[in-house]
Amino acid sequence: MDASNIRIIENPVICQSLVLLRDKATDSQSFRLAARKISRILLYEASKNLPLAVKEIETPITKCRVKDISDDINIIISPILRAGLIFTDEAIDILPNACIRHIGMFRDEQTLKPVWYYNKLPAEIDNPFSTYVYITDPMLATGNSMLEAVRLYAEKNIPVKNIKSLNIIAAPEGINLLHREFPELEIITAAVDERLNDKGYIVPGLGDAGDRMYNTVAEQIKV
Ligand code: URA
């Protein structure tokens, strides 16, 4: 694994939240809260690549020049449904000008390949060189869905250095797959785990993020 374009964010709040996410005894509400805390930190990290512009404002005391996120850029948050949604409330809090473009893919449990069912991207993106995209999925496992999503944006001429993969836990297999095709793609994650098991789950991981988040674990066990 080439460490150059993988940013592992370590801090005590992330450690504490990861414990809750990994612990199978954590209930769904606590799981969502912990996932949101980590998402927020990853989004702050991602936002470091946004260009700044200087402008003049007036405080109650005087005029002053300040730095702000440039008005000349577009920010797209692209959650991969459904687990990637956990990032969206945090994202629109932090980046109120961002637009949310949902991407719907599910994983075929036999082939582990992504199957498209929803794509909210416009046919063309205006000003692709000033567009910044954060694709969110808590689990970067095989990397197949994320790869499809990155391709979708890269094909619209958005520079790969403007695209980021935001993941709570990443597996080496997914990282390698993404970096084979897109070495410039930055992956921002809270942890890199050991490996995938034969069902494509991350080990030790946290199980199925979507099921734990949306309280559908029991349903899945029944079928
Ligand atoms: N998706 C999940 O939710 N968990 C995994 O471990 C792998 C993919």
Side-chain angles (χ1 to χ4, degrees), residues 107 139 141 200-202 207-210:
R107 190 162 70 147
M139 307 302 274
Y201 280 90
I202 299 179
D208 189 302

PDB file of all heavy atoms in Angstrom, residues 107 139 141 200-202 207-210, ligand 1:
ATOM      1  N   ARG A 107     -24.199  -3.428  -3.505  1.00  0.00           N
ATOM      2  CA  ARG A 107     -23.174  -4.409  -3.798  1.00  0.00           C
ATOM      3  C   ARG A 107     -23.843  -5.748  -4.082  1.00  0.00           C
ATOM      4  O   ARG A 107     -24.596  -6.255  -3.255  1.00  0.00           O
ATOM      5  CB  ARG A 107     -22.275  -4.517  -2.561  1.00  0.00           C
ATOM      6  CG  ARG A 107     -21.036  -5.303  -2.788  1.00  0.00           C
ATOM      7  CD  ARG A 107     -20.050  -5.006  -1.719  1.00  0.00           C
ATOM      8  NE  ARG A 107     -20.437  -5.530  -0.422  1.00  0.00           N
ATOM      9  CZ  ARG A 107     -19.562  -5.960   0.466  1.00  0.00           C
ATOM     10  NH1 ARG A 107     -18.290  -5.926   0.182  1.00  0.00           N
ATOM     11  NH2 ARG A 107     -19.948  -6.403   1.626  1.00  0.00           N
ATOM     12  N   MET A 139     -17.499   2.788   4.671  1.00  0.00           N
ATOM     13  CA  MET A 139     -16.643   1.608   4.554  1.00  0.00           C
ATOM     14  C   MET A 139     -16.032   1.532   3.152  1.00  0.00           C
ATOM     15  O   MET A 139     -16.750   1.348   2.168  1.00  0.00           O
ATOM     16  CB  MET A 139     -17.459   0.330   4.825  1.00  0.00           C
ATOM     17  CG  MET A 139     -18.225   0.349   6.128  1.00  0.00           C
ATOM     18  SD  MET A 139     -17.170   0.583   7.568  1.00  0.00           S
ATOM     19  CE  MET A 139     -16.682  -1.092   7.892  1.00  0.00           C
ATOM     20  N   ALA A 141     -14.335  -0.927   1.259  1.00  0.00           N
ATOM     21  CA  ALA A 141     -14.040  -2.364   1.380  1.00  0.00           C
ATOM     22  C   ALA A 141     -13.327  -2.848   0.114  1.00  0.00           C
ATOM     23  O   ALA A 141     -12.120  -2.657  -0.015  1.00  0.00           O
ATOM     24  CB  ALA A 141     -15.335  -3.114   1.675  1.00  0.00           C
ATOM     25  N   GLY A 200     -16.375 -10.139   1.698  1.00  0.00           N
ATOM     26  CA  GLY A 200     -16.119  -8.735   1.361  1.00  0.00           C
ATOM     27  C   GLY A 200     -16.312  -7.782   2.525  1.00  0.00           C
ATOM     28  O   GLY A 200     -16.360  -6.568   2.335  1.00  0.00           O
ATOM     29  N   TYR A 201     -16.398  -8.314   3.753  1.00  0.00           N
ATOM     30  CA  TYR A 201     -16.502  -7.443   4.928  1.00  0.00           C
ATOM     31  C   TYR A 201     -15.108  -7.114   5.457  1.00  0.00           C
ATOM     32  O   TYR A 201     -14.187  -7.944   5.388  1.00  0.00           O
ATOM     33  CB  TYR A 201     -17.342  -8.093   6.041  1.00  0.00           C
ATOM     34  CG  TYR A 201     -18.816  -7.955   5.762  1.00  0.00           C
ATOM     35  CD1 TYR A 201     -19.492  -8.926   5.040  1.00  0.00           C
ATOM     36  CD2 TYR A 201     -19.512  -6.819   6.172  1.00  0.00           C
ATOM     37  CE1 TYR A 201     -20.837  -8.781   4.746  1.00  0.00           C
ATOM     38  CE2 TYR A 201     -20.852  -6.665   5.873  1.00  0.00           C
ATOM     39  CZ  TYR A 201     -21.512  -7.646   5.160  1.00  0.00           C
ATOM     40  OH  TYR A 201     -22.838  -7.488   4.862  1.00  0.00           O
ATOM     41  N   ILE A 202     -14.994  -5.911   6.002  1.00  0.00           N
ATOM     42  CA  ILE A 202     -13.700  -5.479   6.538  1.00  0.00           C
ATOM     43  C   ILE A 202     -13.464  -6.165   7.884  1.00  0.00           C
ATOM     44  O   ILE A 202     -14.366  -6.236   8.718  1.00  0.00           O
ATOM     45  CB  ILE A 202     -13.658  -3.940   6.666  1.00  0.00           C
ATOM     46  CG1 ILE A 202     -13.830  -3.283   5.289  1.00  0.00           C
ATOM     47  CG2 ILE A 202     -12.364  -3.492   7.332  1.00  0.00           C
ATOM     48  CD1 ILE A 202     -13.826  -1.756   5.281  1.00  0.00           C
ATOM     49  N   GLY A 207     -18.872  -4.540  10.923  1.00  0.00           N
ATOM     50  CA  GLY A 207     -20.071  -5.189  10.381  1.00  0.00           C
ATOM     51  C   GLY A 207     -20.638  -4.374   9.241  1.00  0.00           C
ATOM     52  O   GLY A 207     -19.896  -3.640   8.565  1.00  0.00           O
ATOM     53  N   ASP A 208     -21.919  -4.494   9.017  1.00  0.00           N
ATOM     54  CA  ASP A 208     -22.560  -3.764   7.925  1.00  0.00           C
ATOM     55  C   ASP A 208     -22.972  -2.380   8.430  1.00  0.00           C
ATOM     56  O   ASP A 208     -23.878  -2.234   9.255  1.00  0.00           O
ATOM     57  CB  ASP A 208     -23.793  -4.537   7.439  1.00  0.00           C
ATOM     58  CG  ASP A 208     -24.348  -3.925   6.159  1.00  0.00           C
ATOM     59  OD1 ASP A 208     -24.701  -2.711   6.165  1.00  0.00           O
ATOM     60  OD2 ASP A 208     -24.417  -4.625   5.153  1.00  0.00           O
ATOM     61  N   ALA A 209     -22.276  -1.360   7.933  1.00  0.00           N
ATOM     62  CA  ALA A 209     -22.491  -0.005   8.450  1.00  0.00           C
ATOM     63  C   ALA A 209     -23.933   0.446   8.246  1.00  0.00           C
ATOM     64  O   ALA A 209     -24.558   1.001   9.150  1.00  0.00           O
ATOM     65  CB  ALA A 209     -21.530   0.964   7.774  1.00  0.00           C
ATOM     66  N   GLY A 210     -24.485   0.202   7.059  1.00  0.00           N
ATOM     67  CA  GLY A 210     -25.862   0.633   6.772  1.00  0.00           C
ATOM     68  C   GLY A 210     -26.853  -0.046   7.705  1.00  0.00           C
ATOM     69  O   GLY A 210     -27.749   0.597   8.251  1.00  0.00           O
TER      70      GLY A 210
HETATM   71  N1  URA B   1     -19.751  -2.539   3.809  1.00  0.00           N
HETATM   72  C1  URA B   1     -19.982  -2.531   5.138  1.00  0.00           C
HETATM   73  O1  URA B   1     -20.959  -1.939   5.611  1.00  0.00           O
HETATM   74  N2  URA B   1     -19.123  -3.181   5.945  1.00  0.00           N
HETATM   75  C2  URA B   1     -18.047  -3.839   5.481  1.00  0.00           C
HETATM   76  O2  URA B   1     -17.295  -4.399   6.265  1.00  0.00           O
HETATM   77  C3  URA B   1     -17.823  -3.835   4.073  1.00  0.00           C
HETATM   78  C4  URA B   1     -18.689  -3.177   3.259  1.00  0.00           C
END
